[in-house]
Amino acid sequence: MSGKAWGGRFSEGTAKIVEAMNASVGFDQALAFEDIAGSIAHSRMLAKVGILSGDEQRAIEDGLVAIAGEIREGRFAWSVSREDVHMNVEGALADRIGRAAGRLHTGRSRNDQVALDLRLWLRRELSALGEGLAATVRKLLALATEHAALPMPGYTHLQRAQPITFGHHLSAWAAMLSRDLDRLLDARRRLSISPLGSGALAGTPLPVDRHALAAELELAGITVNSLDGVADRDGALETLGTLSILMVHVSRMAEELVLWTSQEFGFVELSDAFCTGSSLMPQKKNPDIPELLRGKAGRVFGAQVALLTLMKGLPLAYNKDMQEDKEPLFDAMGTARQCVAILPDLLSAMTVRPDKMTAALKDGFLLATDLADWLVEKGVPFREAHHIVGAVVGHCVLHGKRLEDLSLEAYRELSEHFDETVFTALDVARSLGRRSLPGGPAPEAVRQGIARLASELAELEARLAAGGPSALERALTRGESLPPAKATRSEALATGAKVGS
Ligand code: ARG
């Protein structure tokens, strides 16, 4: 006898080296609360359909609650020979309550159990990450409001291009992160359904009530096919895709902070608390946190590629390969949550330097396009105007002058279309103010953009609040007394149905 839950057909024990490779408990214990919540919900459902007696169900539920307490307090003895989180919990339950524990796994397989646990874990983690993103977007919108009218150079190819405002730039960051929040909520909605009842791959002949189980966990529905129910890891893949795009955004914001805090730009200073020094060069103040944010993107992309590679070409349904989904997923989620959690404080640590931004607006011919637009308004075709202003800029470069330094005579030598009103075009405030179309950098348009982002954020926050972890999971994680079982199947369905997000 091997002493394993599956040991019936084995006559020899497992080799130690095999046990070590096979075991996932070292990392999948992160799913403990989801596993226990899933088991409690399963036991309640089994009692509802008459597979468990009331006494058996109570013994199982009380035992599982006690085990959750031990885990919360760090007193639970995890065992490698019990392989994974599922068998550790079930084994501990048997140690506590004896034979009745053996009825918990009725109509269930570890394959649908782990699929459920992962969905519940993703729902919880995406919800927490969503909170952090919402807080960051809120912070960005507050800063953008403060700096809605502060002019700064806008860039393409990292070359000074046209004037924008700092509030406009911060609003762009807010728009990026609010799309991430939207995407994350989409992913959460799609994965918040129950695979339990898929069994190992072919369901179960026992009269389990899949809808009641789903409703107990406030999941919006059930998976449609038992093979797909245990073989599908789309929720994890989609989450990693979402996290990857989020980290692209975080890394771009971080890179801009690295640039802006450099002496070459100097647009922003970061407080000492967010920087470190050099052990060699006494003058250094390095933007380590933005650099780390930039660098951590790589881990998340790596996790996505790992999981895509893992799942590619796997035959249906469950394969043990899929146990390898967890470490990259956990690492990526932990990384993304850590990065997002630090963003609001990092933004608070910025001191903006309007003087440096203004100085940078002086050089670089940022108003050349406005000059061309001025010619267009005089009736010159844009291509011609572009050519004329190109010649003006070339003239300035040659003589070391700015656009506003040239005399009217000099302008008229370059084109007869110029007259004395040309100098009105060479004003940053005018340039900004005229770009007042929706989405533009005029301070008024920036404020309107902020208002739109704020109302979108309110909608996203409402969705976020509606589709998080069930009351059962929340109580279990916090060590509070559990909500009662949903009394009837129809009551359960009614609660399940309103969870749409
Ligand atoms: N630890 C396993 C995993 O994460 C649980 C499912 C095991 N199923 C099985 N048939 N061996 O994938």
Side-chain angles (χ1 to χ4, degrees), residues 48 209 211-212 215 486-497:
K48 226 169 281 171
D209 182 343
H211 288 288
K486 316 243 184 243
T488 62
R489 192 184 153 193
S490 51
E491 190 207 80
L493 276 177
T495 332

Side-chain angles (χ1 to χ4, degrees), residues 173 247 249-262 268-271 273-276 285-297 339 342-343 346-347 349-350:
W173 287 3
M247 290 307 294
H249 294 156
V250 169
S251 74
R252 294 181 76 173
M253 293 164 62
E255 166 64 6
E256 294 194 311
L257 282 174
V258 171
L259 288 171
W260 292 346
T261 53
S262 70
V268 163
E269 284 168 15
L270 281 181
S271 68
F274 268 78
C275 297
T276 64
K285 181 170 161 181
N286 297 327
D288 294 43
I289 293 302
E291 290 172 293
L292 282 167
L293 290 173
R294 197 173 57 181
K296 282 185 188 288
C339 292
I342 208 167
L343 285 177
L346 177 63
L347 293 167
M350 294 192 311

Side-chain angles (χ1 to χ4, degrees), residues 347-414:
L347 293 167
S348 296
M350 294 192 311
T351 303
V352 183
R353 294 287 306 268
D355 54 322
K356 301 276 192 177
M357 293 181 181
T358 309
L361 280 163
K362 294 244 179 298
D363 291 312
F365 307 103
L366 286 106
L367 295 174
T369 317
D370 295 84
L371 200 55
D373 290 339
W374 181 91
L375 286 167
V376 167
E377 281 168 25
K378 294 280 169 195
V380 181
F382 180 75
R383 279 286 154 238
E384 227 175 275
H386 186 286
H387 192 80
I388 295 170
V389 176
V392 172
V393 169
H395 179 89
C396 287
V397 170
L398 197 65
H399 296 92
K401 295 196 161 169
R402 298 169 174 160
L403 293 175
E404 57 273 31
D405 299 334
L406 296 190
S407 64
L408 180 57
E409 292 66 44
Y411 269 110
R412 288 189 60 83
E413 257 168 51
L414 288 156

Side-chain angles (χ1 to χ4, degrees), residues 24 28 83-84 86 109-111 114 233 318-320 322-323 325-326:
S24 54
D28 68 12
E83 220 173 297
D84 56 24
H86 324 292
S109 151
R110 268 188 298 157
N111 296 353
V114 72
R233 291 292 180 273
Y318 178 83
N319 302 271
K320 190 67 174 247
M322 287 155 72
Q323 177 164 289
D325 60 357
K326 293 173 197 63

